[in-house]
Amino acid sequence: MDLWFEEYQTKDMVISCRVLRTLHQEKTPFQELAVLDTVEFGRMLVLDDVIQTTIKDEFVYHEMITHVALNTHAKPVKVLIIGGGDGGAVREVVKHQSVEKVVLCEIDGAVVEASKKYLPEISCALENNKAEIVIDDGIKHVRNNKNTYDIIIIDSTDPVGPAEGLFSAAFYKDIFDSLNEEGIFVAQTESPFFNDSLVQRIFKDVSGIFPLTRLFLANVPSYPGGLWTFTMGSKKYDPLDVDIEKIESMNTKYYSPAIHRSCFILPPFVKKLLG
Ligand code: AAT
């Protein structure tokens, strides 16, 4: 018998993938967690029936949510990741020589445990000696750590449940205060097709708080519509001023110096959202 996983990407649109095996399923205090082995995407982490990451395309998302910001900063030393319990963003951050410490603040310890067990390719750096794992709400963590980080990465679930507050203007203000004076933050900010008003609202909120706001794009096939936005707020550095000739090779599969530049080239329909 064929088993199919279905995700309602919107209330009127479904993506469906053939499943070879359900490797893990549990109800955590925060969400319903599953790890599936699928034909097209390989192993897949699913939270509340929404695909979070897959072996096939995780590299696009994890390279883009990290390297664009880290290579924009002159010398990132202390990095915070909020969410991202799978460890994919940590794996990319520790590739940077200058980084001395990366704190992963994930609300749900079960995501970390399941990723360590079933997704070793993604979670491999969670044991790295630069990495510190904090199981807590990211909102609380930034409030308690002012003027601390060079880079803050918001690798969060969609804006429902525990992640809802991670998309608010009040939270972006707390992020601003948790960064030191040359700090940069970057967040995954959903689809420009299916979450256009959210993308627009976030860009406006961040622009009201940070001197410089930029949006960039990448293609993540397992997310709704594929095309995905990331929003960056920066106190000093502009990603477009980076001398891309000087970017060190990081052994990446999607990110490259040319992509560092081209990901900021936006189609007119996206540009229009930003006003
Ligand atoms: N690396 C890609 C995977 C994710 S998972 C996002 C993580 O954010 C989840 O493990 C969830 O438990 C965690 N999270 C949610 N709310 C909070 C919070 N308030 N504080 C800390 N962690 C939190 C991202 C997938 C993006 C999917 C897009 N459709």
Side-chain angles (χ1 to χ4, degrees):
M1 189 182 70
D2 277 355
L3 284 179
W4 290 79
F5 161 76
E6 273 189 354
E7 173 186 335
Y8 275 79
Q9 293 191 324
T10 74
K11 78 181 187 12
D12 303 300
M13 180 176 67
V14 169
I15 182 179
S16 192
C17 309
R18 197 151 73 82
V19 174
L20 294 168
R21 206 148 75 92
T22 302
L23 297 164
H24 184 77
Q25 210 170 1
E26 74 176 290
K27 190 160 174 43
T28 80
F30 298 96
Q31 50 215 344
E32 188 86 40
L33 186 164
V35 183
L36 309 176
D37 193 8
T38 68
V39 178
E40 288 296 355
F41 288 103
R43 291 188 178 192
M44 176 184 272
L45 173 69
V46 178
L47 295 174
D48 289 338
D49 297 318
V50 176
I51 301 171
Q52 303 297 309
T53 196
T54 83
I55 294 297
K56 180 125 181 183
D57 65 356
E58 59 87 9
F59 69 92
V60 181
Y61 178 87
H62 292 128
E63 291 177 11
M64 293 303 280
I65 204 168
T66 53
H67 299 308
V68 179
L70 276 111
N71 283 331
T72 295
H73 195 288
K75 191 172 181 279
V77 176
K78 225 179 150 191
V79 179
L80 170 67
I81 298 163
I82 292 175
D86 53 79
V90 174
R91 184 195 62 203
E92 296 306 312
V93 167
V94 299
K95 290 181 179 173
H96 290 255
Q97 295 287 322
S98 65
V99 171
E100 289 172 9
K101 188 166 184 185
V102 49
V103 176
L104 178 80
C105 180
E106 160 65 57
I107 203 166
D108 192 345
V111 174
V112 176
E113 291 317 311
S115 303
K116 278 187 182 165
K117 190 157 173 199
Y118 298 104
L119 306 168
E121 305 90 332
I122 302 177
S123 61
C124 50
L126 289 174
E127 311 283 346
N128 189 290
N129 53 18
K130 290 180 183 177
E132 181 192 332
I133 301 173
V134 175
I135 303 300
D136 203 356
D137 188 334
I139 298 179
K140 220 165 88 194
H141 184 85
V142 293
R143 273 193 205 138
N144 294 336
N145 289 274
K146 306 253 187 240
N147 197 18
T148 305
Y149 295 105
D150 299 306
I151 306 279
I152 298 180
I153 295 165
I154 322 284
D155 180 4
S156 74
T157 35
D158 302 327
V160 281
E164 200 177 340
L166 302 179
F167 291 80
S168 74
F171 178 64
Y172 299 138
K173 178 68 178 63
D174 289 338
I175 294 274
F176 184 93
D177 294 338
S178 184
L179 287 165
N180 57 35
E181 70 268 22
E182 297 183 356
I184 302 174
F185 104 97
V186 60
Q188 77 84 357
T189 48
E190 309 281 310
S191 158
F193 286 101
F194 302 112
N195 313 97
D196 50 341
S197 52
L198 179 75
V199 170
Q200 184 167 50
R201 198 266 295 156
I202 292 171
F203 195 85
K204 193 161 156 265
D205 284 350
V206 176
S207 304
I209 297 165
F210 282 81
L212 188 92
T213 308
R214 297 259 182 233
L215 184 136
F216 60 94
L217 297 169
N219 209 289
V220 187
S222 62
Y223 291 171
L227 192 68
W228 210 247
T229 70
F230 298 83
T231 305
M232 186 191 263
S234 177
K235 293 194 186 182
K236 177 179 168 189
Y237 301 107
D238 187 341
L240 300 180
D241 288 343
V242 170
D243 181 354
I244 59 170
E245 306 285 317
K246 293 202 177 123
I247 294 179
E248 267 177 59
S249 160
M250 296 271 163
N251 187 23
T252 50
K253 291 189 277 184
Y254 188 94
Y255 177 83
S256 71
I259 293 278
H260 184 101
R261 188 62 43 85
S262 69
C263 69
F264 291 97
I265 299 171
L266 305 176
F269 87 98
V270 178
K271 239 188 199 161
K272 199 171 158 202
L273 288 179
L274 311 185

